[in-house]
Amino acid sequence: MTFGESWATISALSPRADLLSNAPSPVLSILKKELALLAVLLFFGIAILPIAVWFVGDVVFGTYQGNGRAGFFGDLGNKLRSGDPAAWFLVVSPWLGVQIVRLAALGWRRTAKS
């Protein structure tokens, strides 16, 4: 049985199983919000945060030893494409920070109810 056949069987059994239906689904709206948040924070992590890192590094440590700003962004792009964990942590850190704050707030709300 292929994926398409199994999905057709599931859709036939459950009319709510089709996430692309016209009926509004709370799961779909949450998924859209979370994907939008991820997209915005990834843009921030790729476009804005490296500029701040370069600027602070330039002020605190002096000139970047490569070709200045262009060398820094070129090196960052190469490290992202090669899968360097530190470069990816830099890019994903805004999203991770928001998730940590959300989890902490959830924990505080749950302990306040107890």
Side-chain angles (χ1 to χ4, degrees), residues 15-38:
R16 301 271 312 158
D18 185 14
L19 290 178
L20 300 176
S21 69
N22 292 334
S25 167
V27 173
L28 187 58
S29 66
I30 291 171
L31 184 63
K32 283 181 181 179
K33 288 178 188 176
E34 292 299 317
L35 287 174
L37 177 67
L38 178 64

Side-chain angles (χ1 to χ4, degrees), residues 74-85:
D75 289 345
L76 179 63
N78 290 335
K79 287 182 179 187
L80 285 172
R81 283 188 293 279
S82 70
D84 182 31

Side-chain angles (χ1 to χ4, degrees), residues 90-111:
L90 174 71
V91 169
V92 179
S93 62
W95 181 80
L96 290 173
V98 168
Q99 298 309 315
I100 289 169
V101 168
R102 290 167 100 185
L103 283 171
L106 177 67
W108 286 325
R109 282 190 302 243
R110 294 218 177 182
T111 56

Side-chain angles (χ1 to χ4, degrees), residues 54-75:
W54 179 84
F55 180 74
V56 170
D58 192 49
V59 169
V60 173
F61 300 115
T63 329
Y64 185 70
Q65 65 179 326
N67 294 329
R69 193 176 20 224
F72 174 78
F73 287 108
D75 289 345

Side-chain angles (χ1 to χ4, degrees), residues 46-57:
I46 290 172
I48 308 299
L49 190 58
I51 293 171
V53 168
W54 179 84
F55 180 74
V56 170

